[in-house]
Amino acid sequence: MPVRDLDRFARPSPDAVTALGNRGVSGIDGITSTALGAGSATTDHLTLVIGDLAYYHDMNGLLAVARCDVDATIVLLNNDGGGIFHMLPIESFEPPFTEQFKTPHGIDFEPTGELYGLEYTRVDSREAFVDAYTESVTGGGTTVVEVVTDAADSHETRDELRAQVIDDLAGESTD
Ligand SMILES: Cc1ncc(C[n+]2csc(CCOP(=O)(O)OP(=O)(O)O)c2C)c(N)n1
């Protein structure tokens, strides 16, 4: 969902930001490797925003942090599984939704910091995120900023925002 959320909710900005999306052979494969490769080709700071299953799928790609000599901030949105599947009607059918679609794994990703020589920090509020993100971007090296979220809640919030926009537009058209 991160790239979909960027498309849907990011505000226009006068800042010169290059935003890249990646689709692997099957979809979520190779996102970390692609980001680190792209980041190594520029002196701009690299921010990789990635879901937990995608992070898990390409964990070996983290070796490129050292090999490609790239500084990055990796924002790991951990909702313990594939939040995207809440968009499908199968969401209402239990089983098989959780075990076969969402596939929660309960993995603690913190040891990937030690494994690949990265700073690792977990945040649980917007303020803590802004602080950790700012520190990572302004300092050197690579930091993983893990943000723990709830997939069902996020899905509900997206629906509420959509409904609100539809209401607002309907209001405008009758004004
Ligand atoms: C290699 C590969 N395996 C499986 C899939 C099917 N798939 C599409 S999205 C997704 C879940 C992604 O989960 P996550 O990265 O945690 O992001 P979220 O949906 O929570 O935002 C999966 C497994 C795929 N696209 N590519």
Side-chain angles (χ1 to χ4, degrees):
M1 291 307 291
V3 73
R4 291 165 187 258
D5 287 341
L6 177 75
D7 273 348
R8 255 173 111 173
F9 301 117
R11 292 182 184 151
S13 163
D15 296 339
V17 174
T18 303
L20 304 174
N22 183 68
R23 185 178 167 87
V25 176
S26 294
I28 63 166
D29 44 310
I31 294 177
T32 297
S33 301
T34 304
L36 293 172
S40 71
T42 168
T43 52
D44 291 350
H45 186 83
L46 170 72
T47 297
L48 163 61
V49 186
I50 189 166
D52 50 280
L53 283 187
Y55 183 82
Y56 181 47
H57 199 282
D58 193 21
M59 244 156 50
N60 292 337
L62 291 169
L63 194 59
V65 169
R67 293 192 69 182
C68 296
D69 190 23
V70 53
D71 285 358
T73 303
I74 300 176
V75 179
L76 167 56
L77 299 176
N78 187 358
N79 55 18
D80 197 17
I84 195 171
F85 298 120
H86 281 280
M87 290 172 64
L88 302 179
I90 194 75
E91 172 196 43
S92 310
F93 296 90
E94 201 68 85
F97 178 68
T98 300
E99 281 308 307
Q100 291 178 32
F101 285 80
K102 195 168 177 177
T103 61
H105 44 75
I107 291 173
D108 175 8
F109 291 111
E110 189 161 3
T112 57
E114 196 180 340
L115 194 58
Y116 293 101
L118 321 169
E119 293 293 320
Y120 197 100
T121 181
R122 189 177 289 124
V123 296
D124 57 8
S125 71
R126 186 184 289 253
E127 294 72 30
F129 172 76
V130 170
D131 288 349
Y133 183 75
T134 307
E135 199 178 318
S136 173
V137 172
T138 51
T142 291
T143 303
V144 178
V145 181
E146 179 183 354
V147 184
V148 177
T149 65
D150 181 88
D153 282 356
S154 303
H155 186 61
E156 222 170 272
T157 303
R158 289 184 193 101
D159 275 356
E160 283 164 14
L161 288 169
R162 188 183 56 172
Q164 205 176 313
V165 170
I166 290 170
D167 271 3
D168 288 355
L169 291 175
E172 269 178 29
S173 66
T174 54
D175 284 347

